[in-house]
Amino acid sequence: MKSKVLYLRISYWLAALADFFIAFRVLDPERVGLTKFEYPMGMTAAIAFSWGILLIMADRKPLERRWILIPTFIVVSLLAVVGYYAASIGRIALNTASFVFGIFLSLFIAFSYWQTHDVVREHADN
């Protein structure tokens, strides 16, 4: 059981660190295919930073707040797709490491969510 909960905790922290990284990275116009700061960059940074805090808070009660991994999975997966699409149309250079990490994180989040299904059921019965 403890190792399965550890998967959740790792998912929360990996996703939170990725969010903090994105929050600062998106503020660099050249990294997002722009020449100057634009308002949506600040909005994206605020959302990413806030989501990172949400994930850290989820780690405080990993089983009870496991549901947060569902929208996190969607966001991480879509960010990987958007990054790949932007690179494919020449808007930005493909960052292979970020793309691979996004795919890995999506799969790990799905795995940890799935692995803890029975633990959540046991926890609810007690």
Side-chain angles (χ1 to χ4, degrees):
M1 176 177 139
K2 285 189 179 196
S3 65
K4 291 182 178 184
V5 173
L6 181 62
Y7 292 142
L8 285 178
R9 299 186 88 163
I10 291 170
S11 290
Y12 296 140
W13 279 95
L14 282 177
L17 291 173
D19 277 331
F20 296 142
F21 176 75
I22 288 169
F24 292 105
R25 185 174 175 217
V26 76
L27 293 174
D28 181 3
E30 290 179 11
R31 290 198 178 266
V32 292
L34 298 171
T35 56
K36 62 181 180 150
F37 176 83
E38 298 290 342
Y39 178 64
M41 295 165 60
M43 291 173 37
T44 302
I47 293 166
F49 190 79
S50 299
W51 199 274
I53 291 170
L54 178 71
L55 287 161
I56 290 172
M57 291 172 61
D59 181 59
R60 305 278 296 178
K61 293 184 178 181
L63 290 174
E64 293 86 347
R65 297 176 181 162
R66 171 179 167 260
W67 63 269
I68 198 66
L69 289 180
I70 296 170
T72 302
F73 170 82
I74 294 167
V75 169
V76 170
S77 300
L78 289 175
L79 285 173
V81 169
V82 166
Y84 184 81
Y85 175 72
S88 73
I89 62 171
R91 192 73 176 135
I92 60 171
L94 178 64
N95 185 331
T96 306
S98 290
F99 178 71
V100 170
F101 180 73
I103 298 300
F104 164 78
L105 185 55
S106 294
L107 294 173
F108 188 78
I109 288 169
F111 172 77
S112 64
Y113 186 86
W114 178 75
Q115 280 291 307
T116 54
H117 180 72
D118 59 332
V119 177
V120 170
R121 185 169 281 157
E122 286 176 23
H123 188 54
D125 291 342
N126 292 333

